[in-house]
């Protein structure tokens, strides 16, 4: 919809830790008394594992392959190459992606849709095991999608908190080790204070629940590209949104060392008359990051948000031309898959060509994460924008 500290304790530890403290004087009394000070446990027994998982995903030269499109959106991908939206075809496409030889050199994590998490290859190997063999961490999309937000300016909120704890526990048993929750903010719609607060609070509650069940939460506050506003307006909104997100993450006792942030880059609106250079986008995006994101966060895994494959890679490369306090990398869907679909066309004999196309894009973004990418030799197809107004998935 366009308007659409860390307290390390074992499992047997008490929920609260008592500490002594001086009380204020009352009248002439000089007596001392003790009181209980509540210190919340963060992430229970999973803290060390969460931090290790986050660091593994945020490893040099690697990023995330996002293939967590809902069945309906995956159907749109398949329809673009003339395939019916069936489970068999969805499995064939995701098998093509996940079994690409050498993928783990450039990809550290893969976000899966629930169907994919429980699927196997046609020869019976679980997809989660295919990923592990390449040292790629399996992840899972846990939100239930966007719905209208009552009382807002035609904005949306993300549903899915009901039952999230039990679902997350099951996903962990199946092999997932990180989660993803996407919510959006629309600049043309204001955004309203209500929508920003709802987005931030929902992300924070999801993050706390995920960590409580062993999953590293990817926190994704996407500021939609929709609109004709300048880049300065995007920066202003991003500062507000990210500030609110991290405030509520702290309020919910989320372990910052055990999360990953998946924001949109700071760009002009897609319909703005002036395009911004990669250097300008990098400058504005890093400005917001430095103002709003604690260095304790291990990784910033940017979404592509409708940019062309080449644009997304060039912008990432520009952000890695100097050292950053975080691992600045990618979590791309369309910007990794577009060339793959066109090479595959649903034909078994094209699988190897499609996998080569995936490796080309993955390697390009790996180089961009290291600040070593050059656009020399990029074909015209990779430069085509993929913005869709009011995009949902």
């Amino acid at each position: 919809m366009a308007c659409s500290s860390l307290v390390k304790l074992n499992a047997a530890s008490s929920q609260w830790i008592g500490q002594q403290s001086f009380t204020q004087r009352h009248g002439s009394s000089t007596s001392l008394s003790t009181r209980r000070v509540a210190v919340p446990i963060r992430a229970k027994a999973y803290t060390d594992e969460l931090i290790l998982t986050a660091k593994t995903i945020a490893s040099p030269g690697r990023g995330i392959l996002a293939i967590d499109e809902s069945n309906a959106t995956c159907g749109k991908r398949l329809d673009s190459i003339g395939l019916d939206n069936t489970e068999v075809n969805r499995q064939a496409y995701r098998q093509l992606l996940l079994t690409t030889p050498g993928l783990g050199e450039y990809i550290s994590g893969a976000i899966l849709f629930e169907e994919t998490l429980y699927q196997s290859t046609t020869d019976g190997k679980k997809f989660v095991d295919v990923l592990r063999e390449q040292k790629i961490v399996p992840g899972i999309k846990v939100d239930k999608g966007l719905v209208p937000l009552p009382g807002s300016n035609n904005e949306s909120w993300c549903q899915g908190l009901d039952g999230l704890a039990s679902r997350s526990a099951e996903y962990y048993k199946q092999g997932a080790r990180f989660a993803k929750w996407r919510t959006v903010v629309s600049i043309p719609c204001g955004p309203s204070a209500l929508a920003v607060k709802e987005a931030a609070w929902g992300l924070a509650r999801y993050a706390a629940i995920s960590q409580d069940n062993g999953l590293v939460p990817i926190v994704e506050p996407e500021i939609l590209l929709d609109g004709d506003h300048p880049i300065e307006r995007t920066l202003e909104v991003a500062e507000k949104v990210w500030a609110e997100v991290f405030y509520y993450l702290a309020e919910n006792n989320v372990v910052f060392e055990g999360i990953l942030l998946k924001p949109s880059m700071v760009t002009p609106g897609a319909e703005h008359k002036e395009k911004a250079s990669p250097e300008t986008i990098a400058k504005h995006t890093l400005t917001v990051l430095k103002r709003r994101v604690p260095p304790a966060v291990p990784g910033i895994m940017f979404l592509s948000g409708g940019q062309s494959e080449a644009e997304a890679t060039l912008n990432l490369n520009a952000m890695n031309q100097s050292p950053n306090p975080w691992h600045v990398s990618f979590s791309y869907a369309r910007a990794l898959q577009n060339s793959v679909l066109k090479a595959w066309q649903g034909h078994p004999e094209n699988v190897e060509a499609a996998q080569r196309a995936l490796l080309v894009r993955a390697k390009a973004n790996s180089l961009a994460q290291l600040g070593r990418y050059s656009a020399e030799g990029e074909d015209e197809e990779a430069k085509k924008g993929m913005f869709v107004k009011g995009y949902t998935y």
Side-chain angles (χ1 to χ4, degrees):
M1 304 172 63
C3 290
S4 344
S5 174
L6 177 64
V7 180
K8 186 177 178 183
L9 301 170
N10 60 37
S13 298
S14 169
Q15 181 72 17
W16 305 103
I17 298 174
Q19 294 183 348
Q20 288 191 334
S21 174
F22 292 106
T23 59
Q24 292 182 337
R25 289 180 181 234
H26 297 282
S28 60
S29 172
T30 58
S31 63
L32 299 177
S33 65
T34 61
R35 65 184 177 88
R36 305 287 286 181
V37 177
V39 179
I41 289 181
R42 299 181 175 185
K44 288 189 176 177
Y46 290 107
T47 298
D48 291 342
E49 182 183 349
L50 292 166
I51 294 172
L52 179 60
T53 298
K55 287 182 177 178
T56 299
I57 296 171
S59 55
R62 299 206 296 168
I64 294 173
L65 170 63
I67 56 168
D68 57 319
E69 301 90 352
S70 66
N71 288 346
T73 301
C74 189
K76 294 177 184 177
R77 303 271 196 275
L78 297 175
D79 183 64
S80 72
I81 56 171
L83 286 184
D84 293 333
N85 185 15
T86 65
E87 182 177 355
V88 170
N89 286 336
R90 293 192 299 269
Q91 177 196 31
Y93 178 53
R94 285 157 174 165
Q95 178 171 320
L96 179 162
L97 296 169
L98 299 179
T99 60
T100 298
L103 187 63
E105 184 176 349
Y106 314 116
I107 299 297
S108 54
I111 313 173
L112 310 177
F113 191 61
E114 186 176 66
E115 176 183 77
T116 315
L117 181 69
Y118 290 92
Q119 280 179 329
S120 300
T121 64
T122 50
D123 59 3
K125 181 179 289 187
K126 292 179 180 179
F127 279 146
V128 291
D129 292 333
V130 171
L131 290 169
R132 285 172 175 154
E133 288 179 3
Q134 291 228 51
K135 295 183 170 54
I136 299 173
V137 182
I140 177 70
K141 168 185 160 71
V142 298
D143 69 74
K144 294 294 186 179
L146 301 170
V147 293
L149 176 62
S152 72
N153 184 26
N154 198 26
E155 295 161 288
S156 61
W157 67 284
C158 189
Q159 58 187 345
L161 290 177
D162 287 353
L164 179 59
S166 58
R167 286 191 289 121
S168 296
E170 288 302 315
Y171 297 149
Y172 184 92
K173 288 179 184 177
Q174 183 64 16
R177 289 298 179 268
F178 71 101
K180 176 254 179 108
W181 176 287
R182 172 190 181 250
T183 195
V184 303
V185 171
S186 169
I187 291 179
C189 291
S192 69
L194 173 64
V196 172
K197 182 169 289 189
E198 175 59 45
W201 178 255
L203 285 167
R205 289 306 305 141
Y206 138 77
I209 294 168
S210 294
Q211 288 191 338
D212 201 45
N213 289 281
L215 302 178
V216 169
I218 288 185
V219 177
E220 184 176 356
E222 179 176 357
I223 298 169
L224 296 171
L225 280 176
D226 305 65
D228 60 1
H229 50 276
I231 194 169
E232 291 79 12
R233 175 59 178 155
T234 309
L235 185 148
E236 179 185 14
V237 172
E239 283 196 24
K240 172 63 177 174
V241 171
W242 296 7
E244 199 100 345
V245 167
F246 279 96
Y247 172 78
Y248 284 117
L249 287 171
E251 286 286 289
N252 281 273
N253 300 305
V254 171
V255 181
F256 285 0
E257 293 88 346
I259 70 170
L260 296 167
L261 181 65
K262 183 174 177 175
S264 42
M265 299 177 191
V266 178
T267 68
E271 297 163 291
H272 189 61
K273 58 183 181 296
E274 294 181 15
K275 295 292 183 184
S277 68
E279 292 73 24
T280 300
I281 290 170
K283 175 186 175 182
H284 284 75
T285 305
L286 291 174
T287 293
V288 183
L289 286 174
K290 290 170 183 175
R291 289 175 178 172
R292 292 294 183 260
V293 182
V297 176
I300 316 294
M301 321 300 285
F302 282 100
L303 58 90
S304 56
Q307 301 176 69
S308 73
E309 291 177 327
E311 279 178 330
T313 308
L314 282 167
N315 292 338
L316 178 62
N317 186 68
M319 281 186 271
N320 282 295
Q321 293 307 299
S322 58
N324 293 303
W326 331 265
H327 174 82
V328 175
S329 192
F330 60 94
S331 178
Y332 294 163
R334 287 175 286 171
L336 283 172
Q337 296 181 47
N338 195 48
S339 293
V340 179
L341 279 163
K342 290 178 178 177
W344 180 41
Q345 293 296 316
H347 301 306
E349 63 271 23
N350 292 340
V351 166
E352 288 186 12
Q355 291 178 330
R356 286 195 299 271
L358 175 58
L359 286 179
V360 166
R361 294 300 344 145
K363 182 178 180 180
N365 286 294
S366 170
L367 290 170
Q369 196 288 311
L370 299 169
R372 302 174 190 164
Y373 169 74
S374 169
E376 185 177 350
E378 283 280 19
D379 62 32
E380 290 304 311
E381 196 64 38
K383 299 176 184 177
K384 291 183 179 178
M386 293 178 280
F387 169 71
V388 177
K389 191 171 184 177
Y391 180 72
T392 59
Y393 72 104

